[in-house]
PDB file of all heavy atoms in Angstrom:
ATOM      1  N   PRO Y 286      -3.860  -9.961 -13.858  1.00  0.00           N
ATOM      2  CA  PRO Y 286      -2.437  -9.883 -14.208  1.00  0.00           C
ATOM      3  C   PRO Y 286      -1.702  -8.674 -13.626  1.00  0.00           C
ATOM      4  O   PRO Y 286      -0.492  -8.765 -13.379  1.00  0.00           O
ATOM      5  CB  PRO Y 286      -2.457  -9.845 -15.741  1.00  0.00           C
ATOM      6  CG  PRO Y 286      -3.712 -10.576 -16.110  1.00  0.00           C
ATOM      7  CD  PRO Y 286      -4.705 -10.188 -15.042  1.00  0.00           C
ATOM      8  N   CYS Y 287      -2.385  -7.579 -13.353  1.00  0.00           N
ATOM      9  CA  CYS Y 287      -1.699  -6.411 -12.782  1.00  0.00           C
ATOM     10  C   CYS Y 287      -1.070  -6.743 -11.433  1.00  0.00           C
ATOM     11  O   CYS Y 287      -0.071  -6.130 -11.039  1.00  0.00           O
ATOM     12  CB  CYS Y 287      -2.651  -5.223 -12.647  1.00  0.00           C
ATOM     13  SG  CYS Y 287      -3.998  -5.473 -11.482  1.00  0.00           S
ATOM     14  N   LEU Y 288      -1.603  -7.729 -10.712  1.00  0.00           N
ATOM     15  CA  LEU Y 288      -1.047  -8.097  -9.408  1.00  0.00           C
ATOM     16  C   LEU Y 288       0.297  -8.805  -9.519  1.00  0.00           C
ATOM     17  O   LEU Y 288       1.027  -8.911  -8.538  1.00  0.00           O
ATOM     18  CB  LEU Y 288      -2.036  -8.984  -8.639  1.00  0.00           C
ATOM     19  CG  LEU Y 288      -3.346  -8.321  -8.222  1.00  0.00           C
ATOM     20  CD1 LEU Y 288      -4.290  -9.345  -7.602  1.00  0.00           C
ATOM     21  CD2 LEU Y 288      -3.099  -7.165  -7.270  1.00  0.00           C
ATOM     22  N   GLY Y 289       0.633  -9.273 -10.696  1.00  0.00           N
ATOM     23  CA  GLY Y 289       1.893  -9.970 -10.904  1.00  0.00           C
ATOM     24  C   GLY Y 289       3.025  -9.072 -11.361  1.00  0.00           C
ATOM     25  O   GLY Y 289       4.122  -9.539 -11.624  1.00  0.00           O
ATOM     26  N   GLU Y 290       2.752  -7.763 -11.445  1.00  0.00           N
ATOM     27  CA  GLU Y 290       3.766  -6.805 -11.892  1.00  0.00           C
ATOM     28  C   GLU Y 290       3.799  -5.633 -10.926  1.00  0.00           C
ATOM     29  O   GLU Y 290       2.749  -5.114 -10.540  1.00  0.00           O
ATOM     30  CB  GLU Y 290       3.421  -6.277 -13.282  1.00  0.00           C
ATOM     31  CG  GLU Y 290       3.275  -7.347 -14.340  1.00  0.00           C
ATOM     32  CD  GLU Y 290       2.698  -6.800 -15.640  1.00  0.00           C
ATOM     33  OE1 GLU Y 290       2.323  -5.603 -15.684  1.00  0.00           O
ATOM     34  OE2 GLU Y 290       2.612  -7.579 -16.596  1.00  0.00           O
ATOM     35  N   LEU Y 291       4.998  -5.189 -10.562  1.00  0.00           N
ATOM     36  CA  LEU Y 291       5.118  -4.055  -9.652  1.00  0.00           C
ATOM     37  C   LEU Y 291       4.454  -2.812 -10.243  1.00  0.00           C
ATOM     38  O   LEU Y 291       3.703  -2.108  -9.548  1.00  0.00           O
ATOM     39  CB  LEU Y 291       6.584  -3.784  -9.312  1.00  0.00           C
ATOM     40  CG  LEU Y 291       6.852  -2.677  -8.305  1.00  0.00           C
ATOM     41  CD1 LEU Y 291       6.116  -2.921  -6.985  1.00  0.00           C
ATOM     42  CD2 LEU Y 291       8.352  -2.544  -8.060  1.00  0.00           C
ATOM     43  N   ALA Y 292       4.680  -2.548 -11.520  1.00  0.00           N
ATOM     44  CA  ALA Y 292       4.055  -1.382 -12.164  1.00  0.00           C
ATOM     45  C   ALA Y 292       2.531  -1.509 -12.154  1.00  0.00           C
ATOM     46  O   ALA Y 292       1.816  -0.513 -11.968  1.00  0.00           O
ATOM     47  CB  ALA Y 292       4.573  -1.220 -13.589  1.00  0.00           C
ATOM     48  N   GLY Y 293       2.032  -2.725 -12.340  1.00  0.00           N
ATOM     49  CA  GLY Y 293       0.590  -2.952 -12.300  1.00  0.00           C
ATOM     50  C   GLY Y 293       0.011  -2.678 -10.923  1.00  0.00           C
ATOM     51  O   GLY Y 293      -1.080  -2.121 -10.790  1.00  0.00           O
ATOM     52  N   CYS Y 294       0.737  -3.053  -9.875  1.00  0.00           N
ATOM     53  CA  CYS Y 294       0.281  -2.794  -8.504  1.00  0.00           C
ATOM     54  C   CYS Y 294       0.304  -1.297  -8.203  1.00  0.00           C
ATOM     55  O   CYS Y 294      -0.595  -0.783  -7.525  1.00  0.00           O
ATOM     56  CB  CYS Y 294       1.127  -3.571  -7.505  1.00  0.00           C
ATOM     57  SG  CYS Y 294       0.818  -5.357  -7.575  1.00  0.00           S
ATOM     58  N   HIS Y 295       1.306  -0.588  -8.711  1.00  0.00           N
ATOM     59  CA  HIS Y 295       1.338   0.874  -8.552  1.00  0.00           C
ATOM     60  C   HIS Y 295       0.129   1.502  -9.236  1.00  0.00           C
ATOM     61  O   HIS Y 295      -0.556   2.345  -8.646  1.00  0.00           O
ATOM     62  CB  HIS Y 295       2.617   1.451  -9.136  1.00  0.00           C
ATOM     63  CG  HIS Y 295       3.802   1.249  -8.267  1.00  0.00           C
ATOM     64  ND1 HIS Y 295       5.085   1.403  -8.739  1.00  0.00           N
ATOM     65  CD2 HIS Y 295       3.940   0.904  -6.974  1.00  0.00           C
ATOM     66  CE1 HIS Y 295       5.945   1.168  -7.766  1.00  0.00           C
ATOM     67  NE2 HIS Y 295       5.268   0.845  -6.691  1.00  0.00           N
ATOM     68  N   ARG Y 296      -0.137   1.075 -10.466  1.00  0.00           N
ATOM     69  CA  ARG Y 296      -1.285   1.606 -11.213  1.00  0.00           C
ATOM     70  C   ARG Y 296      -2.590   1.295 -10.476  1.00  0.00           C
ATOM     71  O   ARG Y 296      -3.452   2.172 -10.322  1.00  0.00           O
ATOM     72  CB  ARG Y 296      -1.279   1.005 -12.621  1.00  0.00           C
ATOM     73  CG  ARG Y 296      -2.262   1.621 -13.577  1.00  0.00           C
ATOM     74  CD  ARG Y 296      -2.109   1.078 -15.005  1.00  0.00           C
ATOM     75  NE  ARG Y 296      -2.176  -0.372 -15.090  1.00  0.00           N
ATOM     76  CZ  ARG Y 296      -1.122  -1.174 -15.278  1.00  0.00           C
ATOM     77  NH1 ARG Y 296       0.081  -0.684 -15.395  1.00  0.00           N
ATOM     78  NH2 ARG Y 296      -1.280  -2.484 -15.345  1.00  0.00           N
ATOM     79  N   LEU Y 297      -2.722   0.071  -9.991  1.00  0.00           N
ATOM     80  CA  LEU Y 297      -3.931  -0.326  -9.271  1.00  0.00           C
ATOM     81  C   LEU Y 297      -4.127   0.514  -8.013  1.00  0.00           C
ATOM     82  O   LEU Y 297      -5.235   0.968  -7.718  1.00  0.00           O
ATOM     83  CB  LEU Y 297      -3.871  -1.819  -8.922  1.00  0.00           C
ATOM     84  CG  LEU Y 297      -5.059  -2.394  -8.166  1.00  0.00           C
ATOM     85  CD1 LEU Y 297      -6.362  -2.201  -8.949  1.00  0.00           C
ATOM     86  CD2 LEU Y 297      -4.825  -3.864  -7.873  1.00  0.00           C
ATOM     87  N   MET Y 298      -3.063   0.732  -7.255  1.00  0.00           N
ATOM     88  CA  MET Y 298      -3.183   1.549  -6.036  1.00  0.00           C
ATOM     89  C   MET Y 298      -3.604   2.980  -6.376  1.00  0.00           C
ATOM     90  O   MET Y 298      -4.434   3.566  -5.675  1.00  0.00           O
ATOM     91  CB  MET Y 298      -1.873   1.563  -5.244  1.00  0.00           C
ATOM     92  CG  MET Y 298      -1.689   0.375  -4.332  1.00  0.00           C
ATOM     93  SD  MET Y 298      -3.067   0.063  -3.185  1.00  0.00           S
ATOM     94  CE  MET Y 298      -3.219   1.628  -2.345  1.00  0.00           C
ATOM     95  N   HIS Y 299      -3.048   3.545  -7.439  1.00  0.00           N
ATOM     96  CA  HIS Y 299      -3.450   4.894  -7.854  1.00  0.00           C
ATOM     97  C   HIS Y 299      -4.943   4.915  -8.221  1.00  0.00           C
ATOM     98  O   HIS Y 299      -5.668   5.835  -7.841  1.00  0.00           O
ATOM     99  CB  HIS Y 299      -2.602   5.384  -9.028  1.00  0.00           C
ATOM    100  CG  HIS Y 299      -1.232   5.827  -8.632  1.00  0.00           C
ATOM    101  ND1 HIS Y 299      -0.972   7.049  -8.059  1.00  0.00           N
ATOM    102  CD2 HIS Y 299      -0.040   5.192  -8.716  1.00  0.00           C
ATOM    103  CE1 HIS Y 299       0.321   7.158  -7.813  1.00  0.00           C
ATOM    104  NE2 HIS Y 299       0.910   6.031  -8.187  1.00  0.00           N
ATOM    105  N   GLU Y 300      -5.402   3.872  -8.929  1.00  0.00           N
ATOM    106  CA  GLU Y 300      -6.815   3.799  -9.324  1.00  0.00           C
ATOM    107  C   GLU Y 300      -7.721   3.666  -8.104  1.00  0.00           C
ATOM    108  O   GLU Y 300      -8.762   4.321  -8.025  1.00  0.00           O
ATOM    109  CB  GLU Y 300      -7.034   2.633 -10.291  1.00  0.00           C
ATOM    110  CG  GLU Y 300      -6.412   2.869 -11.648  1.00  0.00           C
ATOM    111  CD  GLU Y 300      -6.440   1.639 -12.542  1.00  0.00           C
ATOM    112  OE1 GLU Y 300      -7.017   0.592 -12.142  1.00  0.00           O
ATOM    113  OE2 GLU Y 300      -5.864   1.713 -13.645  1.00  0.00           O
ATOM    114  N   ILE Y 301      -7.340   2.820  -7.167  1.00  0.00           N
ATOM    115  CA  ILE Y 301      -8.144   2.653  -5.949  1.00  0.00           C
ATOM    116  C   ILE Y 301      -8.210   3.976  -5.194  1.00  0.00           C
ATOM    117  O   ILE Y 301      -9.277   4.399  -4.750  1.00  0.00           O
ATOM    118  CB  ILE Y 301      -7.564   1.525  -5.060  1.00  0.00           C
ATOM    119  CG1 ILE Y 301      -7.787   0.169  -5.715  1.00  0.00           C
ATOM    120  CG2 ILE Y 301      -8.187   1.566  -3.654  1.00  0.00           C
ATOM    121  CD1 ILE Y 301      -7.044  -0.988  -5.041  1.00  0.00           C
ATOM    122  N   ARG Y 302      -7.080   4.644  -5.053  1.00  0.00           N
ATOM    123  CA  ARG Y 302      -7.023   5.913  -4.319  1.00  0.00           C
ATOM    124  C   ARG Y 302      -7.912   6.976  -4.953  1.00  0.00           C
ATOM    125  O   ARG Y 302      -8.487   7.813  -4.256  1.00  0.00           O
ATOM    126  CB  ARG Y 302      -5.567   6.413  -4.249  1.00  0.00           C
ATOM    127  CG  ARG Y 302      -5.392   7.798  -3.681  1.00  0.00           C
ATOM    128  CD  ARG Y 302      -5.902   7.851  -2.232  1.00  0.00           C
ATOM    129  NE  ARG Y 302      -5.847   9.172  -1.699  1.00  0.00           N
ATOM    130  CZ  ARG Y 302      -6.872  10.021  -1.657  1.00  0.00           C
ATOM    131  NH1 ARG Y 302      -8.040   9.674  -2.181  1.00  0.00           N
ATOM    132  NH2 ARG Y 302      -6.745  11.204  -1.108  1.00  0.00           N
ATOM    133  N   LEU Y 303      -8.063   6.943  -6.273  1.00  0.00           N
ATOM    134  CA  LEU Y 303      -8.853   7.957  -6.972  1.00  0.00           C
ATOM    135  C   LEU Y 303     -10.337   7.615  -7.073  1.00  0.00           C
ATOM    136  O   LEU Y 303     -11.126   8.450  -7.509  1.00  0.00           O
ATOM    137  CB  LEU Y 303      -8.279   8.196  -8.371  1.00  0.00           C
ATOM    138  CG  LEU Y 303      -6.879   8.817  -8.397  1.00  0.00           C
ATOM    139  CD1 LEU Y 303      -6.359   8.905  -9.831  1.00  0.00           C
ATOM    140  CD2 LEU Y 303      -6.872  10.183  -7.718  1.00  0.00           C
ATOM    141  N   LYS Y 304     -10.723   6.400  -6.663  1.00  0.00           N
ATOM    142  CA  LYS Y 304     -12.146   6.027  -6.713  1.00  0.00           C
ATOM    143  C   LYS Y 304     -12.952   6.964  -5.821  1.00  0.00           C
ATOM    144  O   LYS Y 304     -12.514   7.330  -4.727  1.00  0.00           O
ATOM    145  CB  LYS Y 304     -12.353   4.585  -6.262  1.00  0.00           C
ATOM    146  CG  LYS Y 304     -11.970   3.569  -7.299  1.00  0.00           C
ATOM    147  CD  LYS Y 304     -12.308   2.169  -6.807  1.00  0.00           C
ATOM    148  CE  LYS Y 304     -11.869   1.159  -7.808  1.00  0.00           C
ATOM    149  NZ  LYS Y 304     -12.945   0.700  -8.638  1.00  0.00           N
ATOM    150  N   GLU Y 305     -14.119   7.305  -6.271  1.00  0.00           N
ATOM    151  CA  GLU Y 305     -14.981   8.219  -5.521  1.00  0.00           C
ATOM    152  C   GLU Y 305     -15.268   7.702  -4.116  1.00  0.00           C
ATOM    153  O   GLU Y 305     -15.329   8.463  -3.165  1.00  0.00           O
ATOM    154  CB  GLU Y 305     -16.298   8.441  -6.281  1.00  0.00           C
ATOM    155  CG  GLU Y 305     -17.204   9.444  -5.633  1.00  0.00           C
ATOM    156  CD  GLU Y 305     -18.454   9.697  -6.439  1.00  0.00           C
ATOM    157  OE1 GLU Y 305     -18.406   9.593  -7.677  1.00  0.00           O
ATOM    158  OE2 GLU Y 305     -19.498  10.002  -5.817  1.00  0.00           O
ATOM    159  N   GLY Y 306     -15.425   6.412  -3.953  1.00  0.00           N
ATOM    160  CA  GLY Y 306     -15.770   5.840  -2.656  1.00  0.00           C
ATOM    161  C   GLY Y 306     -14.591   5.399  -1.805  1.00  0.00           C
ATOM    162  O   GLY Y 306     -14.782   4.713  -0.797  1.00  0.00           O
ATOM    163  N   PHE Y 307     -13.368   5.781  -2.177  1.00  0.00           N
ATOM    164  CA  PHE Y 307     -12.201   5.372  -1.407  1.00  0.00           C
ATOM    165  C   PHE Y 307     -12.366   5.768   0.058  1.00  0.00           C
ATOM    166  O   PHE Y 307     -12.726   6.899   0.372  1.00  0.00           O
ATOM    167  CB  PHE Y 307     -10.933   6.015  -1.986  1.00  0.00           C
ATOM    168  CG  PHE Y 307      -9.693   5.701  -1.200  1.00  0.00           C
ATOM    169  CD1 PHE Y 307      -9.133   4.433  -1.239  1.00  0.00           C
ATOM    170  CD2 PHE Y 307      -9.087   6.667  -0.413  1.00  0.00           C
ATOM    171  CE1 PHE Y 307      -7.976   4.142  -0.522  1.00  0.00           C
ATOM    172  CE2 PHE Y 307      -7.934   6.392   0.309  1.00  0.00           C
ATOM    173  CZ  PHE Y 307      -7.390   5.123   0.258  1.00  0.00           C
ATOM    174  N   LEU Y 308     -12.111   4.806   0.964  1.00  0.00           N
ATOM    175  CA  LEU Y 308     -12.260   5.056   2.406  1.00  0.00           C
ATOM    176  C   LEU Y 308     -10.903   4.907   3.101  1.00  0.00           C
ATOM    177  O   LEU Y 308     -10.454   3.792   3.370  1.00  0.00           O
ATOM    178  CB  LEU Y 308     -13.258   4.077   3.029  1.00  0.00           C
ATOM    179  CG  LEU Y 308     -14.724   4.309   2.708  1.00  0.00           C
ATOM    180  CD1 LEU Y 308     -15.586   3.197   3.276  1.00  0.00           C
ATOM    181  CD2 LEU Y 308     -15.181   5.652   3.231  1.00  0.00           C
ATOM    182  N   PRO Y 309     -10.257   6.018   3.408  1.00  0.00           N
ATOM    183  CA  PRO Y 309      -8.975   5.934   4.113  1.00  0.00           C
ATOM    184  C   PRO Y 309      -9.069   5.162   5.422  1.00  0.00           C
ATOM    185  O   PRO Y 309      -8.130   4.441   5.783  1.00  0.00           O
ATOM    186  CB  PRO Y 309      -8.618   7.405   4.366  1.00  0.00           C
ATOM    187  CG  PRO Y 309      -9.371   8.166   3.330  1.00  0.00           C
ATOM    188  CD  PRO Y 309     -10.639   7.385   3.096  1.00  0.00           C
ATOM    189  N   GLU Y 310     -10.189   5.273   6.137  1.00  0.00           N
ATOM    190  CA  GLU Y 310     -10.326   4.601   7.422  1.00  0.00           C
ATOM    191  C   GLU Y 310     -10.442   3.081   7.302  1.00  0.00           C
ATOM    192  O   GLU Y 310     -10.346   2.372   8.296  1.00  0.00           O
ATOM    193  CB  GLU Y 310     -11.488   5.177   8.222  1.00  0.00           C
ATOM    194  CG  GLU Y 310     -12.837   5.129   7.527  1.00  0.00           C
ATOM    195  CD  GLU Y 310     -13.192   6.380   6.732  1.00  0.00           C
ATOM    196  OE1 GLU Y 310     -12.423   6.757   5.821  1.00  0.00           O
ATOM    197  OE2 GLU Y 310     -14.235   6.964   7.006  1.00  0.00           O
ATOM    198  N   ALA Y 311     -10.615   2.580   6.068  1.00  0.00           N
ATOM    199  CA  ALA Y 311     -10.683   1.133   5.831  1.00  0.00           C
ATOM    200  C   ALA Y 311      -9.469   0.647   5.045  1.00  0.00           C
ATOM    201  O   ALA Y 311      -9.492  -0.438   4.476  1.00  0.00           O
ATOM    202  CB  ALA Y 311     -11.977   0.782   5.094  1.00  0.00           C
ATOM    203  N   THR Y 312      -8.409   1.450   5.014  1.00  0.00           N
ATOM    204  CA  THR Y 312      -7.212   1.152   4.234  1.00  0.00           C
ATOM    205  C   THR Y 312      -6.001   1.169   5.163  1.00  0.00           C
ATOM    206  O   THR Y 312      -5.720   2.187   5.800  1.00  0.00           O
ATOM    207  CB  THR Y 312      -7.066   2.182   3.096  1.00  0.00           C
ATOM    208  OG1 THR Y 312      -8.244   2.112   2.269  1.00  0.00           O
ATOM    209  CG2 THR Y 312      -5.833   1.909   2.260  1.00  0.00           C
ATOM    210  N   TRP Y 313      -5.299   0.031   5.241  1.00  0.00           N
ATOM    211  CA  TRP Y 313      -4.237  -0.155   6.228  1.00  0.00           C
ATOM    212  C   TRP Y 313      -3.030  -0.842   5.619  1.00  0.00           C
ATOM    213  O   TRP Y 313      -3.151  -1.572   4.638  1.00  0.00           O
ATOM    214  CB  TRP Y 313      -4.765  -0.976   7.407  1.00  0.00           C
ATOM    215  CG  TRP Y 313      -5.799  -0.233   8.173  1.00  0.00           C
ATOM    216  CD1 TRP Y 313      -7.142  -0.174   7.891  1.00  0.00           C
ATOM    217  CD2 TRP Y 313      -5.584   0.599   9.303  1.00  0.00           C
ATOM    218  NE1 TRP Y 313      -7.758   0.648   8.796  1.00  0.00           N
ATOM    219  CE2 TRP Y 313      -6.829   1.141   9.676  1.00  0.00           C
ATOM    220  CE3 TRP Y 313      -4.451   0.940  10.042  1.00  0.00           C
ATOM    221  CZ2 TRP Y 313      -6.976   1.994  10.752  1.00  0.00           C
ATOM    222  CZ3 TRP Y 313      -4.597   1.793  11.129  1.00  0.00           C
ATOM    223  CH2 TRP Y 313      -5.848   2.311  11.469  1.00  0.00           C
ATOM    224  N   LEU Y 314      -1.892  -0.642   6.266  1.00  0.00           N
ATOM    225  CA  LEU Y 314      -0.641  -1.237   5.850  1.00  0.00           C
ATOM    226  C   LEU Y 314       0.010  -1.870   7.079  1.00  0.00           C
ATOM    227  O   LEU Y 314       0.042  -1.262   8.146  1.00  0.00           O
ATOM    228  CB  LEU Y 314       0.276  -0.140   5.283  1.00  0.00           C
ATOM    229  CG  LEU Y 314       1.605  -0.534   4.677  1.00  0.00           C
ATOM    230  CD1 LEU Y 314       1.404  -1.372   3.403  1.00  0.00           C
ATOM    231  CD2 LEU Y 314       2.411   0.726   4.340  1.00  0.00           C
ATOM    232  N   ALA Y 315       0.518  -3.106   6.923  1.00  0.00           N
ATOM    233  CA  ALA Y 315       1.254  -3.762   8.010  1.00  0.00           C
ATOM    234  C   ALA Y 315       2.741  -3.605   7.733  1.00  0.00           C
ATOM    235  O   ALA Y 315       3.195  -3.755   6.598  1.00  0.00           O
ATOM    236  CB  ALA Y 315       0.892  -5.246   8.092  1.00  0.00           C
ATOM    237  N   MET Y 316       3.480  -3.306   8.796  1.00  0.00           N
ATOM    238  CA  MET Y 316       4.911  -3.109   8.669  1.00  0.00           C
ATOM    239  C   MET Y 316       5.634  -3.930   9.727  1.00  0.00           C
ATOM    240  O   MET Y 316       5.247  -3.919  10.893  1.00  0.00           O
ATOM    241  CB  MET Y 316       5.262  -1.629   8.849  1.00  0.00           C
ATOM    242  CG  MET Y 316       6.752  -1.345   8.701  1.00  0.00           C
ATOM    243  SD  MET Y 316       7.151   0.408   8.864  1.00  0.00           S
ATOM    244  CE  MET Y 316       6.973   0.625  10.627  1.00  0.00           C
ATOM    245  N   TYR Y 317       6.676  -4.631   9.289  1.00  0.00           N
ATOM    246  CA  TYR Y 317       7.579  -5.310  10.197  1.00  0.00           C
ATOM    247  C   TYR Y 317       8.696  -4.326  10.516  1.00  0.00           C
ATOM    248  O   TYR Y 317       9.252  -3.693   9.622  1.00  0.00           O
ATOM    249  CB  TYR Y 317       8.160  -6.572   9.544  1.00  0.00           C
ATOM    250  CG  TYR Y 317       9.305  -7.159  10.317  1.00  0.00           C
ATOM    251  CD1 TYR Y 317       9.069  -7.962  11.420  1.00  0.00           C
ATOM    252  CD2 TYR Y 317      10.618  -6.897   9.953  1.00  0.00           C
ATOM    253  CE1 TYR Y 317      10.125  -8.500  12.140  1.00  0.00           C
ATOM    254  CE2 TYR Y 317      11.675  -7.432  10.666  1.00  0.00           C
ATOM    255  CZ  TYR Y 317      11.422  -8.229  11.760  1.00  0.00           C
ATOM    256  OH  TYR Y 317      12.467  -8.744  12.474  1.00  0.00           O
ATOM    257  N   GLU Y 318       8.998  -4.204  11.801  1.00  0.00           N
ATOM    258  CA  GLU Y 318      10.078  -3.312  12.229  1.00  0.00           C
ATOM    259  C   GLU Y 318      11.056  -4.130  13.050  1.00  0.00           C
ATOM    260  O   GLU Y 318      10.705  -4.633  14.117  1.00  0.00           O
ATOM    261  CB  GLU Y 318       9.503  -2.161  13.039  1.00  0.00           C
ATOM    262  CG  GLU Y 318      10.463  -1.037  13.290  1.00  0.00           C
ATOM    263  CD  GLU Y 318       9.754   0.172  13.863  1.00  0.00           C
ATOM    264  OE1 GLU Y 318       8.946  -0.002  14.788  1.00  0.00           O
ATOM    265  OE2 GLU Y 318      10.020   1.269  13.378  1.00  0.00           O
ATOM    266  N   GLY Y 319      12.275  -4.265  12.550  1.00  0.00           N
ATOM    267  CA  GLY Y 319      13.291  -5.059  13.223  1.00  0.00           C
ATOM    268  C   GLY Y 319      13.679  -4.490  14.572  1.00  0.00           C
ATOM    269  O   GLY Y 319      13.416  -3.322  14.878  1.00  0.00           O
ATOM    270  N   GLU Y 320      14.297  -5.322  15.376  1.00  0.00           N
ATOM    271  CA  GLU Y 320      14.700  -4.906  16.719  1.00  0.00           C
ATOM    272  C   GLU Y 320      15.672  -3.733  16.708  1.00  0.00           C
ATOM    273  O   GLU Y 320      15.731  -2.966  17.658  1.00  0.00           O
ATOM    274  CB  GLU Y 320      15.302  -6.087  17.475  1.00  0.00           C
ATOM    275  CG  GLU Y 320      14.265  -7.141  17.802  1.00  0.00           C
ATOM    276  CD  GLU Y 320      14.835  -8.266  18.638  1.00  0.00           C
ATOM    277  OE1 GLU Y 320      15.804  -8.026  19.379  1.00  0.00           O
ATOM    278  OE2 GLU Y 320      14.290  -9.372  18.549  1.00  0.00           O
ATOM    279  N   ASP Y 321      16.430  -3.591  15.615  1.00  0.00           N
ATOM    280  CA  ASP Y 321      17.383  -2.481  15.536  1.00  0.00           C
ATOM    281  C   ASP Y 321      16.687  -1.145  15.273  1.00  0.00           C
ATOM    282  O   ASP Y 321      17.313  -0.099  15.350  1.00  0.00           O
ATOM    283  CB  ASP Y 321      18.437  -2.745  14.459  1.00  0.00           C
ATOM    284  CG  ASP Y 321      17.847  -2.878  13.062  1.00  0.00           C
ATOM    285  OD1 ASP Y 321      16.632  -2.646  12.868  1.00  0.00           O
ATOM    286  OD2 ASP Y 321      18.610  -3.216  12.140  1.00  0.00           O
ATOM    287  N   GLY Y 322      15.378  -1.173  14.963  1.00  0.00           N
ATOM    288  CA  GLY Y 322      14.624   0.052  14.710  1.00  0.00           C
ATOM    289  C   GLY Y 322      14.856   0.638  13.331  1.00  0.00           C
ATOM    290  O   GLY Y 322      14.185   1.577  12.932  1.00  0.00           O
ATOM    291  N   ARG Y 323      15.784   0.076  12.581  1.00  0.00           N
ATOM    292  CA  ARG Y 323      16.083   0.595  11.237  1.00  0.00           C
ATOM    293  C   ARG Y 323      15.552  -0.311  10.142  1.00  0.00           C
ATOM    294  O   ARG Y 323      15.296   0.151   9.042  1.00  0.00           O
ATOM    295  CB  ARG Y 323      17.584   0.783  11.066  1.00  0.00           C
ATOM    296  CG  ARG Y 323      18.135   1.906  11.936  1.00  0.00           C
ATOM    297  CD  ARG Y 323      19.611   1.975  11.791  1.00  0.00           C
ATOM    298  NE  ARG Y 323      20.148   0.751  12.406  1.00  0.00           N
ATOM    299  CZ  ARG Y 323      21.416   0.514  12.599  1.00  0.00           C
ATOM    300  NH1 ARG Y 323      22.306   1.368  12.204  1.00  0.00           N
ATOM    301  NH2 ARG Y 323      21.810  -0.597  13.187  1.00  0.00           N
ATOM    302  N   THR Y 324      15.419  -1.599  10.414  1.00  0.00           N
ATOM    303  CA  THR Y 324      14.924  -2.549   9.425  1.00  0.00           C
ATOM    304  C   THR Y 324      13.412  -2.421   9.351  1.00  0.00           C
ATOM    305  O   THR Y 324      12.715  -2.639  10.350  1.00  0.00           O
ATOM    306  CB  THR Y 324      15.301  -3.996   9.815  1.00  0.00           C
ATOM    307  OG1 THR Y 324      16.707  -4.060   9.992  1.00  0.00           O
ATOM    308  CG2 THR Y 324      14.834  -4.980   8.771  1.00  0.00           C
ATOM    309  N   ARG Y 325      12.926  -2.047   8.183  1.00  0.00           N
ATOM    310  CA  ARG Y 325      11.482  -1.910   7.974  1.00  0.00           C
ATOM    311  C   ARG Y 325      11.089  -2.638   6.707  1.00  0.00           C
ATOM    312  O   ARG Y 325      11.764  -2.525   5.690  1.00  0.00           O
ATOM    313  CB  ARG Y 325      11.088  -0.438   7.876  1.00  0.00           C
ATOM    314  CG  ARG Y 325      11.251   0.262   9.180  1.00  0.00           C
ATOM    315  CD  ARG Y 325      10.699   1.637   9.123  1.00  0.00           C
ATOM    316  NE  ARG Y 325      10.772   2.196  10.462  1.00  0.00           N
ATOM    317  CZ  ARG Y 325      10.739   3.462  10.724  1.00  0.00           C
ATOM    318  NH1 ARG Y 325      10.586   4.328   9.756  1.00  0.00           N
ATOM    319  NH2 ARG Y 325      10.804   3.886  11.969  1.00  0.00           N
ATOM    320  N   GLU Y 326       9.990  -3.362   6.820  1.00  0.00           N
ATOM    321  CA  GLU Y 326       9.492  -4.121   5.672  1.00  0.00           C
ATOM    322  C   GLU Y 326       7.974  -4.011   5.683  1.00  0.00           C
ATOM    323  O   GLU Y 326       7.331  -4.331   6.681  1.00  0.00           O
ATOM    324  CB  GLU Y 326       9.924  -5.577   5.823  1.00  0.00           C
ATOM    325  CG  GLU Y 326       9.279  -6.527   4.875  1.00  0.00           C
ATOM    326  CD  GLU Y 326       9.476  -7.975   5.315  1.00  0.00           C
ATOM    327  OE1 GLU Y 326      10.464  -8.279   6.002  1.00  0.00           O
ATOM    328  OE2 GLU Y 326       8.604  -8.787   4.971  1.00  0.00           O
TER     329      GLU Y 326
END
């Protein structure tokens, strides 16, 4: 159920980040960047 709430996803990300085995090199984000260079999603 935490995945269905923005606050739950924030809490989950904080928990994942604090896990002892968190691996930054295996953690990625995809971003869409519009042709105008200002639109980011």
Side-chain angles (χ1 to χ4, degrees):
C287 65
L288 294 174
E290 303 170 355
L291 184 56
C294 290
H295 283 164
R296 189 174 54 255
L297 180 59
M298 276 307 305
H299 283 281
E300 290 171 4
I301 290 170
R302 172 61 185 97
L303 294 175
K304 283 184 183 261
E305 184 177 329
F307 177 72
L308 287 175
E310 57 268 58
T312 301
W313 293 85
L314 185 66
M316 181 178 74
Y317 168 81
E318 192 169 46
E320 291 184 27
D321 62 7
R323 292 176 292 188
T324 305
R325 292 188 174 160
E326 169 195 333

